[in-house]
Amino acid sequence: MSHEDRYDGNPMLRLMDSYVLDAIGVLDGKTAESLSEQAPMLADALDIEQGTWQEVVERSMGMPADSKETLAAAWQQYQVEYAQHDEPADPIAFAHMMVDRATAA
């Protein structure tokens, strides 16, 4: 499945993937800037209190206050596990895995 297919019919998935990438410090600047500009529209569309785009995602998903820290710690562990096998950790694969786990319930 391509990245674009992943998001067909579910734009919230793209936001959540971006949230994870932002939390681990690898979200590209162009996407971060675009999401920052879209924050008011996102909040309105999701009927959520205004805030940063990250806050909009957190509120709409009912995420705990320490979500960013939890994701950053999980990313560190993920990198360690891959390093033990002399493989690079893929942040996109990590984001997809974390979002898929969160939305599987």
Side-chain angles (χ1 to χ4, degrees):
M1 171 191 320
S2 77
H3 293 306
E4 290 307 311
D5 290 343
R6 174 176 172 77
Y7 306 123
D8 283 349
N10 195 348
M12 192 65 187
L13 216 52
R14 183 183 302 269
L15 279 174
M16 293 175 65
D17 284 347
S18 294
Y19 179 90
V20 173
L21 294 172
D22 183 66
I24 65 173
V26 298
L27 184 65
D28 66 278
K30 182 178 176 182
T31 301
E33 183 178 331
S34 175
L35 289 170
S36 291
E37 292 170 0
Q38 294 176 38
M41 179 185 67
L42 293 170
D44 287 344
L46 295 168
D47 197 26
I48 300 292
E49 180 183 337
Q50 295 290 323
T52 67
W53 71 268
Q54 296 95 330
E55 292 167 339
V56 169
V57 172
E58 291 167 354
R59 290 179 189 130
S60 69
M61 299 303 297
M63 298 168 73
D66 66 345
S67 292
K68 288 181 185 178
E69 294 80 9
T70 300
L71 287 166
W75 170 241
Q76 292 299 319
Q77 183 59 37
Y78 186 83
Q79 290 177 297
V80 167
E81 291 171 11
Y82 271 78
Q84 291 172 346
H85 300 287
D86 294 323
E87 296 179 35
D90 180 353
I92 301 291
F94 174 79
H96 290 181
M97 178 184 71
M98 297 306 287
V99 170
D100 291 347
R101 284 182 185 171
T103 58

